[in-house]
Amino acid sequence: MAKEHLQVLNALDVAKTQWYHFTAIVIAGMGFFTDAYDLFCISLVTKLLGRIYYHTAGDLKPGTLPPNVSAAVNGVAFCGTLSGQLFFGWLGDKMGRKRVYGMTLMLMVICSIASGLSFGKSAKGVMATLCFFRFWLGFGIGGDYPLSATIMSEYANKKTRGAFIAAVFAMQGFGILAGGVFAIIVSAVFKAKFPAQAYEANELASTVPEADYVWRIILMFGAVPAAITYYWRMKMPETARYTALVARNAKQAAADMSKVLQVELETEQEKVERLDQEKGNDFGLFSKKFLHRHGLHLLGTSTTWFLLDIAFYSQNLFQKDIFSAIGWIPEARTMNALEEVYKIARAQTLIALCSTVPGYWFTVAFIDKIGRFIIQLMGFFFMTVFMFALAIPYNHWTHKDNRIGFVIMYSLTFFFSNFGPNATTFVVPAEIFPARLRSTCHGISAAAGKAGAIVGAFGFLYAAQDRDPKKTDKGYPPGIGIRNALIVLGGINFLGMLFTFLVPESKGKSLEEMSQENEEGDESAESNPQGESEIRTIPV
């Protein structure tokens, strides 16, 4: 039997799209803009770091980061993000979404600036400093995932909730794009100001001393959008669902939402107190009731995010290596250091502009029309198809005449990851769990995703090396080659498609309906002794 809905929550569910919805999207979305910029801009400068700090005199190729250093520089932020997702996700349910929200942003501002600084001039000192601050940068970024998703889901109406949460996540696409554009601008300015010969013409002169400023400026710029957003984040009221359902303060919830919705709302404190006394919905994360009601859902959201991020972050972080392998970016020895940064940034910006950003906004446009489940299943399916289409005839794509075809196919895998599971894995965990556990469960799902990103960042680095020891990057053991690595990623995408069947459809339903917080505790327990959800795992 359904409980009588709190008026303040019902008002949010049926509210027309208003200015405060767009304000919330921008405030939460700027955090994701910063997240994406900070996480992905490192891939633009790793080759430059290798040239500056790991050059060996007389070597035929420019310096590259040693395997352990490259893995640390690329992966340490993900380790921080995973920790931050778990910690701030839990804290968001304990202290409230708003109180924790400012902490994550301030941590991102401080660590973005600090990651461009370094103690000493030695390679070891610079890399140690960079890794230390990028870990804590990742820790702050991690908190943004569960908090932004939860805040947006709890503010939104049920008709367009998916589009609003997806729009917050879509700012990630603009962050990736901004990283590429800013790197193009900075490298172009320095290239014009400090011209240099190619590495094969003069190995020492190919990396001008001023190049050391380029990577620092690119990394530190990530602090700017986060700092701009801080004031507005602190002005947002706590979400009504947290205030009413978790903090049990109906008066404050009604007062906050009256200002936001610009309507008079009844306090209903007695109804909240009755809810507090009922025993049906007070179960914890590690209880049998949670396992029966939401165990498969949490398994589904976690595994699909884990599998997606192995493929997604492998592609994003190492697309420069793939483009170099097929000859779309010239050989490193034929360029100077700043020219290499410019060409890597240009290639990644083109991919972001043509496939990554449009993919996110296709999700925003269609998620409340065709649903989360269909978009996620379709995305994984096409990612699998295009990955195998790249991998199986891989030698065909390496010929000069076929490079454009490779880039188009590769772009389509990005398009369908973003018009697919990359967006839906973020949206669904913010909708299907109870308010008191929503941020925690989103944090667990997101942390599983970042575990996948770590596997992608560390594993692909080694796996994509050529099987011929003479053709591997300096310091790396032979791998399975890019072709076989792409086949493995295709198989991972197929597994993601299978695990999608564990994830429920939440289109058009209220948050309380999805989490069953509007079910009477005792009566539902009697009629459904196993605690099984009436929400089908596979939508029909």
Side-chain angles (χ1 to χ4, degrees), residues 357-419:
V357 172
Y360 282 116
W361 291 99
F362 263 72
T363 301
V364 173
F366 291 106
I367 193 167
D368 288 312
K369 291 182 174 67
I370 62 177
R372 290 77 164 138
F373 178 85
I374 296 296
I375 289 176
Q376 184 161 311
L377 198 68
M378 175 194 67
F380 270 128
F381 173 76
F382 281 111
M383 286 170 71
T384 306
V385 168
F386 287 119
M387 204 65 85
F388 284 138
L390 288 173
I392 294 166
Y394 180 72
N395 291 333
H396 167 80
W397 299 116
T398 57
H399 298 309
K400 193 170 183 179
D401 294 342
N402 302 324
R403 286 172 190 166
I404 297 301
F406 180 94
V407 172
I408 291 169
M409 297 277 277
Y410 192 68
S411 297
L412 284 168
T413 65
F414 275 110
F415 176 81
F416 281 106
S417 67
N418 294 312
F419 181 34

Side-chain angles (χ1 to χ4, degrees), residues 201-242:
N202 189 328
E203 61 181 66
L204 283 175
S206 68
T207 307
V208 295
E210 290 79 9
D212 196 45
Y213 292 113
V214 171
W215 70 267
R216 297 175 191 273
I217 292 168
I218 291 170
L219 294 186
M220 292 168 82
F221 182 74
V224 175
I228 291 169
T229 317
Y230 183 78
Y231 170 77
W232 299 106
R233 221 173 238 206
M234 291 297 91
K235 294 281 283 181
M236 285 180 82
E238 181 56 85
T239 71
R241 284 184 161 90
Y242 181 85

Side-chain angles (χ1 to χ4, degrees), residues 465-483:
Q465 294 298 318
D466 201 285
R467 286 185 289 183
D468 183 350
K470 294 175 184 175
K471 294 181 181 178
T472 60
D473 290 338
K474 187 178 176 182
Y476 286 86
I480 60 174
I482 286 180
R483 177 181 183 272

Side-chain angles (χ1 to χ4, degrees), residues 86-102:
L86 292 172
F87 176 72
F88 286 114
W90 168 79
L91 204 62
D93 284 332
K94 293 297 177 190
M95 290 177 59
R97 299 23 166 157
K98 181 193 170 179
R99 288 176 69 185
V100 183
Y101 215 22

Side-chain angles (χ1 to χ4, degrees), residues 201-332:
N202 189 328
E203 61 181 66
L204 283 175
S206 68
T207 307
V208 295
E210 290 79 9
D212 196 45
Y213 292 113
V214 171
W215 70 267
R216 297 175 191 273
I217 292 168
I218 291 170
L219 294 186
M220 292 168 82
F221 182 74
V224 175
I228 291 169
T229 317
Y230 183 78
Y231 170 77
W232 299 106
R233 221 173 238 206
M234 291 297 91
K235 294 281 283 181
M236 285 180 82
E238 181 56 85
T239 71
R241 284 184 161 90
Y242 181 85
T243 307
L245 297 175
V246 183
R248 304 297 191 191
N249 188 340
K251 186 177 180 182
Q252 188 62 52
D256 287 343
M257 291 307 106
S258 292
K259 289 177 190 172
V260 168
L261 297 170
Q262 297 178 332
V263 292
E264 282 299 317
L265 293 170
E266 199 181 327
T267 300
E268 302 182 300
Q269 186 61 38
E270 301 83 5
K271 198 183 286 185
V272 169
E273 286 168 4
R274 281 203 307 275
L275 291 176
D276 200 22
Q277 289 164 7
E278 288 169 359
K279 298 295 180 187
N281 284 317
D282 58 354
F283 55 87
L285 181 65
F286 300 106
S287 65
K288 282 186 179 178
K289 192 158 188 179
F290 178 87
L291 185 64
H292 283 133
R293 209 179 257 196
H294 298 293
L296 278 179
H297 298 162
L298 187 58
L299 177 66
T301 57
S302 300
T303 49
T304 51
W305 208 336
F306 172 78
L307 293 165
L308 163 80
D309 274 8
I310 294 175
F312 183 73
Y313 281 89
S314 296
Q315 286 175 268
N316 254 308
L317 287 173
F318 302 106
Q319 56 183 287
K320 62 185 184 300
D321 302 308
I322 292 169
F323 291 152
S324 296
I326 64 156
W328 203 42
I329 295 173
E331 284 188 51

Side-chain angles (χ1 to χ4, degrees), residues 24-38 101 104-105 108 140-141 144-145 148 168 171-172 175 222 225-226 229 233:
I25 288 170
V26 172
I27 293 169
M30 284 309 287
F32 265 88
F33 178 96
T34 308
D35 296 351
Y37 181 96
D38 288 331
Y101 215 22
T104 63
L105 207 61
M108 285 154 63
I141 288 171
D144 228 44
Y145 275 73
S148 289
V168 169
M171 294 298 283
Q172 193 179 66
T229 317
R233 221 173 238 206

